[in-house]
Amino acid sequence: MLTDDTLREGLQTPGLSFTVDEKIRIARMISEAGVKRALVSYPSAHVSEMEVTEKIISEKLFSEVFALGRTVIEDIDLIAQTGSNISLHLPFGSFDMEDICLSIKHAKKYGRTVEIAIVDVVSYGIDDVVRMAKKFSECGADVVQLPDTKGAGTPNKIASIVREVKKNLDVAVEIHCHNDMGLSIAEAVAGIDAGADHVDTTVMGIGERNGISDEITMARYLNDMGIEKYDVKAFRKAYEYVFDLIMEKIGSRFFMDNMPVLGRNVETVTAGTHAGSFPSDHYSFNVYAGKNAIRAALSSRGINATDGEIRKIVQMVKDHSVMEGRAFRLDDVVKIYGEVHESS
């Protein structure tokens, strides 16, 4: 039932970055608490993401390991190289259903479990969601993920979507609820009650903007309902470790910034794929930095970098954020731009 997303979604937390060793240590703690399903990386972002995935698989920390990518052949092939199951997300905005179908069929050639996320699911009518889910299932998707990507949904809305998908087709459903309005736990519970098979969670609920559903809360709920069994006490180790990382890398201000509705993190973008889809003047950069986010951030300072400069900056940010285990601020990126621009 629980899918741990701390190592991937959690890495999109504003101001936070993990080294490879930190990610592996977190994975071991979560595994000890009884979590059997985890989404651990985004391999097309950086070679370190592939390394993490391969190590987690080699240590057999989870029964099911997933890595995430776009619905493009290059991302699918990189995920497959790690030995992981394949999780894909639709692009923001328009897309061609037949192209998505071809990507799913390509992923299925590897003989792995394939899941597809209908990004920002609450922005669609329920009939459209059912239509897409049915099409993707027919193309070979084993799991359809229904993410409230922008945290704009309600418990009733999520429950209605899950209920209709489960009623109309035989496919596993996963929910992924963001906490912008403070409703992620309520949405997750409503989704489970409506028939969802999996629910994404993270330690301390960390993630893009102000995060998703908190893991220990959902683990306790599932225990109390007799749906699954997790070692609630064992989670304390993971929570204390992540808390220490937050205090070391960000500081206590994080907990105010991460509040729903009024916290600064609600307006902060980390993942490159989110740039442009979430209008923002606040950015955090780590291994998931993207060209669009770097370009937009520099433009906010009146800097028009060339494509070549943007590529160099992105690579430097990715490399150093993994090696040093720290996120970069806009001032850091401006400084890097100055070094790159001068050398070119």
Side-chain angles (χ1 to χ4, degrees):
M1 173 65 74
L2 287 185
T3 299
D4 180 80
D5 205 353
T6 308
L7 306 181
R8 197 278 316 172
E9 177 71 54
L11 194 53
Q12 294 174 215
T13 304
L16 194 61
S17 183
F18 298 136
T19 65
V20 170
D21 287 345
E22 287 166 349
K23 288 187 79 168
I24 297 301
R25 187 172 175 184
I26 293 168
R28 289 172 181 151
M29 293 174 181
I30 292 166
S31 174
E32 289 170 1
V35 176
K36 297 178 173 58
R37 193 175 192 270
L39 178 58
V40 302
S41 65
Y42 203 111
S44 63
H46 195 260
V47 65
S48 64
E49 292 288 279
M50 297 191 69
E51 179 186 345
V52 163
T53 313
E54 290 165 355
K55 190 165 182 60
I56 287 171
I57 290 172
S58 70
E59 290 192 23
K60 299 179 180 178
L61 296 179
F62 303 103
S63 302
E64 292 185 90
V65 175
F66 288 82
L68 182 63
R70 299 162 297 181
T71 51
V72 297
I73 301 303
E74 293 82 3
D75 281 23
I76 293 167
D77 290 345
L78 280 175
I79 293 170
Q81 285 178 37
T82 69
S84 170
N85 293 308
I86 300 168
S87 183
L88 304 172
H89 63 83
L90 297 182
F92 287 96
S94 61
F95 54 85
D96 186 294
M97 292 276 284
E98 294 305 322
D99 287 344
I100 303 299
C101 239
L102 290 174
S103 294
I104 293 171
K105 289 177 179 178
H106 180 77
K108 285 301 293 183
K109 291 178 182 178
Y110 286 103
R112 316 280 172 74
T113 300
V114 175
E115 64 178 27
I116 180 79
I118 301 175
V119 171
D120 195 17
V121 70
V122 300
S123 67
Y124 297 99
I126 292 180
D127 290 344
D128 290 329
V129 174
V130 171
R131 177 177 56 83
M132 286 188 281
K134 184 175 181 180
K135 177 70 171 178
F136 299 148
S137 176
E138 290 171 349
C139 294
D142 304 289
V143 183
V144 173
Q145 189 192 88
L146 306 174
D148 179 13
T149 314
K150 295 182 178 179
T154 63
N156 284 342
K157 179 74 170 179
I158 292 297
S160 296
I161 295 171
V162 171
R163 194 175 296 114
E164 285 303 305
V165 172
K166 294 295 290 184
K167 184 174 76 175
N168 284 281
L169 59 153
D170 183 20
V171 66
V173 167
E174 182 170 4
I175 50 176
H176 180 104
C177 306
H178 275 266
N179 200 39
D180 301 59
M181 298 295 109
L183 297 175
S184 63
I185 291 294
E187 285 183 308
V189 170
I192 290 170
D193 290 349
D197 302 277
H198 308 289
V199 56
D200 290 0
T201 58
T202 60
V203 171
M204 298 185 76
I206 60 174
E208 180 77 35
R209 304 186 312 285
N210 73 324
I212 64 170
S213 304
D214 173 60
E215 192 153 46
I216 191 65
T217 305
M218 294 310 303
R220 175 62 186 266
Y221 173 76
L222 293 171
N223 281 1
D224 289 351
M225 295 300 292
I227 298 172
E228 288 207 318
K229 186 67 177 174
Y230 298 95
D231 188 342
V232 170
K233 290 184 179 179
F235 274 113
R236 179 176 294 277
K237 201 162 144 186
Y239 272 68
E240 289 181 344
Y241 182 58
V242 171
F243 172 81
D244 288 343
L245 291 178
I246 289 171
M247 291 297 290
E248 173 192 339
K249 297 169 188 281
I250 307 173
S252 60
R253 177 70 196 182
F254 169 81
F255 298 99
M256 182 61 201
D257 288 343
N258 214 49
M259 284 293 295
V261 184
L262 52 76
R264 180 184 173 93
N265 287 355
V266 174
E267 301 175 351
T268 303
V269 172
T270 300
T273 52
H274 287 44
S277 301
F278 294 82
S280 177
D281 295 323
H282 307 301
Y283 294 93
S284 174
F285 305 99
N286 60 16
V287 72
Y288 291 159
K291 295 194 291 285
N292 290 340
I294 294 286
R295 189 184 304 280
L298 289 174
S299 294
S300 72
R301 292 289 182 88
I303 298 171
N304 296 312
T306 66
D307 288 346
E309 289 169 338
I310 293 291
R311 283 194 296 272
K312 288 180 182 178
I313 294 167
V314 169
Q315 193 59 51
M316 290 172 69
V317 169
K318 287 175 180 285
D319 291 343
H320 285 283
S321 69
V322 174
M323 289 188 294
E324 301 169 21
R326 75 177 182 94
F328 284 71
R329 298 168 302 177
L330 177 52
D331 287 345
D332 298 317
V333 172
V334 171
K335 183 179 178 181
I336 293 171
Y337 164 77
E339 295 169 357
V340 168
H341 185 69
E342 186 175 338
S343 67
S344 61

